[in-house]
């Protein structure tokens, strides 16, 4: 689905592609920094201490989430500056791309990158021989990973919209809500392999975020009805 | 790449001519102004040309004279507009470059992942005589540094030789050299590549069929690259030869040497293009002074069709529209755009203000292309291919390097739009790529592996 989003909405406009790639880049950098921190922490600690490792991992995950949001903020700042530049450049005085579109594209960029990093190795391995869950792990590993990745990509997209909207209108509670949601989703994955604990809340949160973002972008129930019934 | 194919005996080459990024010559930009301001545009154009310090075709000189008086008045305003317009269409050009680079990388990565041949170590090039199979780390490092020094000096010597040949107008020699090397590349390497791919997929092919296929491929390639042909076909061929060359590099360069060479060549690129005495810069400036493309024998379809299009101004618009991307000719767009601008201006004067602005923009927009040397393609692909081949983090590292290179390319193009002169395309991208490769491989991979094993998501 994320690929479909990309093809239909982003691939037409070169500016959006650049924003997308830049978004992916920012996510990558945040990942890099967070893994650096985690790596240092692991090296500095005792590798045999199992609970400590687990604790460090959790700490790493939380820290990474915070870093991701921080980088989203940085990206927002960069895009603000870019929009001013684009407005100055364009002929009719308004930017060729609005901040909401940028928010959407940035969100997709983040999401794609995070999804890619989560899934690609899995996909590559799934091509090879082997049985899933032979060592007593869940047999639904691939399936749940796929769903989780998809929900995460969508979530990133929606968070992008919400986050930028919050920054635009200086509503700090929106930004805080995004951060909290992100933490919650990541936290819920700690319940894995008890999948009901992680997938269900994530999907619920995604539905919440989706409606929120939709409303923010100017949609409403009426719009939706008209769209679905193909009225003009 | 064309230059790179210079030496028939060496496989890698001073792709350095090719490693510079030339800005689309800005002269046509002022013509964006609507037809009413055609004269102003002419003035701005001439002013711009003087700014870049090279004399273009005679037509422009006439304009320059005529607009001498107007220039100082409009100088600042015109400059601002030029800058804006340059940056505005930047996005489209960036994408025009993204696509071939991405395609090349995809081809290389796909081949590396599937065909075993290119990751086996079957010997080294004579340019990297020091083996890396030594037991100690220090020795290995020393060997790779020595390899790099040899390789870079070979490249420097070749480049200087080429520049000298060009300066002293030994065109025939250059032509012959290029034709010979592209011949070798198209036939020999394709044959090896095809053989390996067929082996991997266990497809049987008899010799006559093979001969037919390779002959057709090579012949069409030669015609496309060195003579005329549809633009997309030419682009496809250039992508393919870049990929082939990159594969050869990946196979035959030992590991540490490859990374050190990548780093060293980006430094060399930086120096060669920016230093006043750098060979690449001299090459570009000589070409500009003589107002001719850098390698006359390699006038690609863009320039050819372009001269044909001159006779018919309306098709001139459509002719070079897609030829903004060309990977091998640095000077070509210098050559192309003044002449293109002439046909453009004749068009502006005849219809006058009634001509809609949008069509203008469309014409101009297509034509102001950016050029990227084939050597850049090759080294980007080498980086990504090496990442795919040797990284234990597999796709994550490859993906990270890919994004890093694209971002580096973006930044380079941005700088190009700001500075408006030939810039080295390698340093920023390669730096990003290297940084991301090493950091992803060593830092991110353990993190992601542990996350994936616990199925945690960040």
């Amino acid at each position: 689905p994320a690929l479909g989003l990309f093809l239909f909405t982003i691939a037409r406009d070169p500016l959006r592609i650049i924003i997308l790639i830049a978004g992916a880049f920012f996510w990558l950098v945040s990942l890099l920094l967070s893994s650096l921190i985690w790596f240092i922490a692991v090296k500095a600690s005792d590798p045999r201490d199992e609970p400590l490792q687990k604790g460090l991992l959790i700490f790493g995950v939380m820290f990474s989430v915070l870093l991701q949001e921080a980088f989203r903020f940085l990206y927002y700042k960069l895009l603000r500056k870019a929009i001013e530049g684009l407005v100055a450049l364009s002929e009719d005085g308004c930017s060729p791309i609005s901040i909401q579109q940028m928010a959407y594209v940035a969100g997709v960029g983040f999401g794609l990158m995070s999804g890619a990093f989560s899934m690609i190795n899995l996909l590559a391995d799934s091509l090879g021989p082997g049985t899933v869950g032979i060592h007593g792990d869940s047999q639904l590993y691939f399936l749940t990973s796929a769903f989780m990745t998809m929900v995460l990509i969508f979530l990133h997209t929606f968070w992008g919209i919400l986050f930028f909207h919050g920054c635009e209108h200086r509503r700090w509670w929106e930004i805080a809500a995004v951060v909290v949601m992100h933490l919650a989703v990541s936290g819920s994955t700690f319940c894995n392999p008890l999948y009901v604990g992680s997938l269900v809340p994530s999907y619920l949160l995604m539905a919440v975020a989706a409606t929120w973002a939709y409303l923010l972008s100017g949609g409403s129930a009426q719009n939706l009805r008209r769209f679905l019934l193909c009225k003009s | 790449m064309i230059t790179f194919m210079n030496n028939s005996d060496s496989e890698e080459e001073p792709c350095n001519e090719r490693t510079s990024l030339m800005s689309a010559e800005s002269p046509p930009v002022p013509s964006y102004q609507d037809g009413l301001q055609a004269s102003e545009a002419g003035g701005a154009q001439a002013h711009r040309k003087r700014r870049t310090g090279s004399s273009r075709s005679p037509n422009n000189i006439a304009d320059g004279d005529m607009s001498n008086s107007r220039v100082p008045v409009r100088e600042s305003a015109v400059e601002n507009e030029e800058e804006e317009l340059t940056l505005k269409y930047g996005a489209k050009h960036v994408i025009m470059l993204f696509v071939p680079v991405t395609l090349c990388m995809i081809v290389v990565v796909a081949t590396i992942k599937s065909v075993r041949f290119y990751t086996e170590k079957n010997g080294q090039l004579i340019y990297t005589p020091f083996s890396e199979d030594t037991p100690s780390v220090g020795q290995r490092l020393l060997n790779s540094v020595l390899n790099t020094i040899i390789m870079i000096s070979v490249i420097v010597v070749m480049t200087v030789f080429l520049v000298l040949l060009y300066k002293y107008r030994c065109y025939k020699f250059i032509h012959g050299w290029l034709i010979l090397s592209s011949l070798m590349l198209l036939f020999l390497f394709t044959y090896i590549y095809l053989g390996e791919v067929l082996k991997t997929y266990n497809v049987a092919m008899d010799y006559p069929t093979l001969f037919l296929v390779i002959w057709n491929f090579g012949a069409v390639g030669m015609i496309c690259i060195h003579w005329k042909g549809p633009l997309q076909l030419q682009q496809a061929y250039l992508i393919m030869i870049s990929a082939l060359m990159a594969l050869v590099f990946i196979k035959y360069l030992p590991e540490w040497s490859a990374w050190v060479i990548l780093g060293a060549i980006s430094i060399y690129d930086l120096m060669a293009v920016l230093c006043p005495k750098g060979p690449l810069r001299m090459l570009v400036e000589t070409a500009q002074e003589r107002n001719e493309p850098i390698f006359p024998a390699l006038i690609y379809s863009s320039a050819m069709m372009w001269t044909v299009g001159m006779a018919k101004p309306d098709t001139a618009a459509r002719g070079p529209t897609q030829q903004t991307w060309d990977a091998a000719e640095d000077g070509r767009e210098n050559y192309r755009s003044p002449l293109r601008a002439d046909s453009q201006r004749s068009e502006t004067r005849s219809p006058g203000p009634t001509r809609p602005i949008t069509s203008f923009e469309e014409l101009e927009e297509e034509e102001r292309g950016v050029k990227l040397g084939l050597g850049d393609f090759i080294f980007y692909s080498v980086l990504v291919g090496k990442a795919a081949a040797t990284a234990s983090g597999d796709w994550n590292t490859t993906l990270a390097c890919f994004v890093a290179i694209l971002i580096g390319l973006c930044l380079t193009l941005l700088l190009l739009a700001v500075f408006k002169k030939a810039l080295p395309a390698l340093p920023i991208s390669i730096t990003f790529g290297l940084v991301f490769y090493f950091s992803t491989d060593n830092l991110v991979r353990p993190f992601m592996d542990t996350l994936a094993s616990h199925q945690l998501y960040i």
Side-chain angles (χ1 to χ4, degrees):
Chain A
L3 202 58
L5 265 183
F6 170 71
L7 283 175
F8 284 124
T9 56
I10 295 184
R12 296 299 150 95
D13 190 4
L15 200 55
R16 295 187 200 171
I17 296 186
I18 298 181
I19 300 182
L20 181 92
I21 304 276
F25 179 70
F26 271 81
W27 187 88
L28 203 60
V29 175
S30 86
L31 180 69
L32 204 72
L33 287 178
S34 48
S35 57
L36 178 68
I37 305 277
W38 180 79
F39 194 71
I40 295 177
V42 165
K43 284 297 175 202
S45 70
D46 183 9
R48 281 177 304 277
D49 193 356
E50 188 52 47
L52 179 63
Q53 292 299 313
K54 195 90 197 291
L56 271 182
L57 198 61
I58 295 182
F59 160 71
V61 169
M62 292 300 156
F63 192 72
S64 170
V65 167
L66 291 174
L67 261 184
Q68 277 181 41
E69 298 304 323
F71 269 85
R72 214 196 287 267
F73 183 65
L74 280 177
Y75 194 42
Y76 165 73
K77 281 257 178 283
L78 185 70
L79 283 181
R80 283 287 295 176
K81 286 217 190 94
I83 265 208
E84 282 159 26
L86 282 175
V87 167
L89 290 184
S90 76
E91 295 175 335
D92 46 2
C94 61
S95 157
I97 187 170
S98 73
I99 189 81
Q100 281 110 349
Q101 284 180 344
M102 278 205 199
Y104 164 68
V105 176
V108 174
F110 267 55
L112 270 181
M113 206 56 193
S114 107
F117 261 67
S118 315
M119 268 314 270
I120 289 263
N121 275 338
L122 221 57
L123 285 174
D125 284 338
S126 70
L127 284 177
T131 324
V132 183
I134 203 167
H135 284 279
D137 294 322
S138 162
Q139 286 177 332
L140 298 169
Y141 188 69
F142 282 137
L143 220 52
T144 47
S145 302
F147 277 115
M148 195 66 201
T149 312
M150 186 177 84
V151 80
L152 204 60
I153 297 181
F154 281 142
L155 275 174
H156 269 294
T157 314
F158 299 134
W159 285 334
I161 300 180
L162 294 173
F163 194 88
F164 279 41
H165 186 260
C167 289
E168 279 287 311
H169 299 269
R170 301 251 174 271
R171 293 201 203 144
W172 304 116
W173 60 273
E174 276 189 18
I175 301 177
V178 169
V179 177
V180 165
M181 261 201 278
H182 198 168
L183 282 174
V185 168
S186 293
S188 68
T189 59
F190 290 144
C191 310
N192 281 337
L194 186 65
Y195 292 120
V196 71
S198 69
L199 276 180
V200 173
S202 309
Y203 271 92
L204 285 177
L205 276 177
M206 182 186 90
V208 167
T211 41
W212 194 1
Y214 185 67
L215 290 173
L216 277 183
S217 310
S220 65
Q222 256 186 343
N223 275 353
L224 194 60
R225 207 179 303 133
R226 271 193 285 163
F227 168 71
L228 286 175
L229 297 178
C230 289
K231 294 209 189 114
S232 66
Chain B
M1 171 81 173
I2 303 305
T3 353
F4 135 19
M5 293 190 280
N6 270 348
N7 20 7
S8 40
D9 53 335
S10 77
E11 285 158 342
E12 95 300 330
E13 158 22 281
C15 335
N16 17 59
E17 268 76 355
R18 303 302 143 227
T19 56
S20 56
L21 195 54
M22 282 287 289
S23 91
E25 194 43 18
S26 351
V29 171
S31 314
Y32 281 119
Q33 326 299 332
D34 40 16
L36 292 167
Q37 298 166 12
S39 49
E40 181 184 27
Q45 206 151 356
H47 159 74
R48 210 163 189 175
K49 288 199 170 71
R50 246 169 298 153
R51 237 180 56 193
T52 51
S54 47
S55 60
R56 306 275 184 227
S57 60
N59 297 350
N60 294 336
I61 295 181
D63 285 334
D65 291 338
M66 156 179 92
S67 55
N68 250 338
S69 50
R70 290 199 289 266
V71 162
V73 173
R74 294 202 200 86
E75 200 172 291
S76 53
V78 157
E79 268 189 42
N80 282 343
E81 284 160 357
E82 291 167 0
E83 308 253 352
E84 291 171 6
L85 289 161
T86 315
L87 285 175
K88 176 174 185 179
Y89 293 94
K92 186 153 186 184
H93 301 308
V94 174
I95 301 302
M96 288 197 299
L97 277 187
F98 268 12
V99 173
V101 171
T102 315
L103 277 179
C104 195
M105 288 196 224
I106 289 179
V107 168
V108 170
V109 170
T111 315
I112 294 262
K113 286 291 182 188
S114 52
V115 179
R116 284 283 125 226
F117 174 71
Y118 286 104
T119 42
E120 297 160 6
K121 294 221 53 70
N122 269 345
Q124 297 181 202
L125 295 174
I126 55 170
Y127 300 104
T128 53
F130 296 98
S131 155
E132 282 197 9
D133 287 331
T134 55
S136 77
V137 173
Q139 179 81 352
R140 189 171 189 187
L141 196 61
L142 183 69
N143 280 350
S144 52
V145 169
L146 288 173
N147 277 342
T148 313
I149 293 179
I150 295 180
M151 186 77 113
I152 299 281
S153 43
V154 164
I155 291 182
V156 169
V157 162
M158 290 293 180
T159 318
V160 169
F161 186 50
L162 194 68
V163 171
L164 285 176
L165 281 181
Y166 188 65
K167 252 187 137 77
Y168 295 117
R169 303 183 186 260
C170 313
Y171 292 146
K172 291 232 178 291
F173 190 78
I174 300 185
H175 295 352
W177 202 8
L178 291 174
I179 290 184
L180 202 60
S181 33
S182 54
L183 209 73
M184 178 195 82
L185 197 71
L186 275 179
F187 287 108
L188 183 65
F189 285 157
T190 316
Y191 171 66
I192 296 178
Y193 178 73
L194 211 56
E196 290 306 320
V197 168
L198 290 176
K199 254 190 241 172
T200 309
Y201 289 109
N202 222 2
V203 171
M205 189 184 257
D206 50 327
Y207 275 117
T209 317
L210 189 71
F211 174 69
L212 200 66
V213 166
I214 291 195
W215 170 254
N216 281 340
F217 180 78
V220 176
M222 287 300 288
I223 295 179
C224 259
I225 296 175
H226 292 278
W227 198 43
K228 294 190 246 217
L231 180 72
Q232 303 214 327
L233 201 58
Q234 185 189 338
Q235 292 174 352
Y237 266 103
L238 289 172
I239 294 180
M240 279 193 279
I241 20 186
S242 311
L244 281 177
M245 205 56 216
L247 285 171
V248 166
F249 271 145
I250 295 175
K251 179 174 172 63
Y252 285 112
L253 283 182
E255 288 205 18
W256 288 20
S257 303
W259 298 114
V260 182
I261 285 180
L262 274 176
I265 211 166
S266 52
I267 298 179
Y268 166 71
D269 198 31
L270 195 66
M271 290 191 327
V273 175
L274 293 181
C275 291
K277 277 297 169 197
L280 292 184
R281 185 160 173 163
M282 282 185 352
L283 193 70
V284 166
E285 280 172 4
T286 320
Q288 283 181 354
E289 279 165 31
R290 293 186 197 164
N291 199 21
E292 62 188 18
I294 288 191
F295 292 108
L298 305 172
I299 293 184
Y300 280 179
S301 51
S302 58
M304 281 288 222
M305 257 158 84
W306 177 92
T307 45
V308 167
M310 260 274 258
K312 314 177 233 143
D314 51 336
T315 54
R318 267 176 300 280
T321 46
Q322 272 93 44
Q323 289 136 18
T324 49
W325 176 77
D326 163 69
E329 288 296 303
D330 288 348
R332 186 144 7 99
E333 36 122 81
N334 289 340
Y335 184 43
R336 203 164 51 92
S337 26
L339 305 172
R340 175 95 179 81
D342 301 333
S343 62
Q344 198 66 37
R345 241 174 299 126
S346 61
E347 287 175 273
T348 63
R349 290 212 184 107
S350 35
T354 56
R355 186 99 173 230
I357 300 183
T358 47
S359 67
F360 255 140
E361 289 174 349
E362 196 184 303
L363 300 173
E364 290 298 343
E365 177 178 340
E366 308 281 33
E367 140 194 350
R368 287 185 51 235
V370 194
K371 311 248 177 199
L372 185 63
L374 275 187
D376 299 332
F377 275 80
I378 294 177
F379 284 113
Y380 292 162
S381 311
V382 166
L383 193 129
V384 176
K386 269 273 179 222
T390 63
S392 37
D394 269 351
W395 294 94
N396 277 349
T397 325
T398 315
L399 205 57
C401 288
F402 170 69
V403 172
I405 288 184
L406 283 186
I407 293 288
L409 196 60
C410 255
L411 285 176
T412 314
L413 287 172
L414 200 68
L415 284 181
L416 192 67
V418 168
F419 286 115
K420 295 200 224 315
K421 55 177 198 169
L423 284 184
L426 278 185
I428 301 182
S429 292
I430 300 265
T431 319
F432 274 7
L434 284 176
V435 162
F436 269 82
Y437 170 74
F438 284 115
S439 47
T440 313
D441 200 27
N442 297 324
L443 297 176
V444 177
R445 193 179 38 87
F447 189 45
M448 291 306 288
D449 284 345
T450 8
L451 282 185
S453 62
H454 294 277
Q455 228 180 359
L456 299 175
Y457 283 87
I458 55 165

